[in-house]
Amino acid sequence: MSARGPALTERGAALEERGPGPVRVRLSINGTGHTLDIEPRVSLLDALRERLDLTGAKKGCDQGTCGACTVWVDGRRVLACLTLAMTCEGREVTTVEGLAGEGELHEMQRAFIAEDAFQCGFCTPGQIMSAVALIEEGHAGTDAEIKEWMSGNICRCAAYPHIRAAIRAVRDRA
């Protein structure tokens, strides 16, 4: 509690003050619980890559402009480099590693392979996470719509036509 009293949430409940030193954070990643002692300023991306060895989400720009670090928090696309890990407590985080189930690739992962939708592969995990979400959000009606809703994910190899083909292939199977 600070000299001004406890911090309050929108609902008026008191928040526990934490930091500035390491704090215990409980995260659910791909359905598995993890407890980490991290500084409050640690990004979700750094917690995933450096503390949990989940290296699918890539550190590209580290400024939220390339989309290589795209993951889902409670089913919504987020940029892990701009998300504080401690804000994900009580939420479900899904990474590209969590898409494949029981040893089988997700249908979008298979479509990316079939459509040659990657070249260097660096952006591929973020592209795949956005592509799956894009279809679930209902934003895959036309190529123009796909292009617009995938615009936050940059591919330096310019595999965009193949990425759109993979998205269409999965969309058309649904």
Side-chain angles (χ1 to χ4, degrees), residues 43-118:
S43 71
L44 178 58
L45 180 61
D46 287 341
L48 292 170
R49 293 183 59 80
E50 296 172 14
R51 298 298 303 275
L52 299 173
D53 294 323
L54 292 170
T55 58
K58 302 296 186 234
K59 186 178 275 199
C61 66
D62 211 21
Q63 299 175 8
T65 59
C66 74
C69 65
T70 303
V71 298
W72 304 336
V73 176
D74 289 340
R76 296 187 69 206
R77 294 187 262 180
V78 301
L79 300 170
C81 72
L82 297 181
T83 304
L84 293 175
M86 67 185 295
T87 66
C88 295
E89 282 189 303
R91 298 181 167 154
E92 179 60 33
V93 176
T94 305
T95 69
V96 72
E97 293 93 342
L99 284 183
E102 300 176 24
E104 294 291 322
L105 293 177
H106 184 278
E107 64 182 326
M108 188 63 74
Q109 292 169 313
R110 290 191 308 269
F112 264 61
I113 293 167
E115 298 294 339
D116 196 24
F118 54 90

Side-chain angles (χ1 to χ4, degrees), residues 67 70-72 77-79 99 108 124-137 149-153 167:
T70 303
V71 298
W72 304 336
R77 294 187 262 180
V78 301
L79 300 170
L99 284 183
M108 188 63 74
T124 303
Q127 296 278 0
I128 289 172
M129 295 302 287
S130 281
V132 172
L134 167 105
I135 291 173
E136 291 175 2
E137 294 162 359
W149 286 90
M150 290 292 291
S151 65
N153 292 83
I167 294 169

Side-chain angles (χ1 to χ4, degrees), residues 145-164:
E145 189 175 28
I146 293 169
K147 184 177 179 180
E148 175 66 26
W149 286 90
M150 290 292 291
S151 65
N153 292 83
I154 296 172
C155 173
R156 293 186 177 137
C157 301
Y160 298 115
H162 300 282
I163 292 168
R164 285 192 296 275

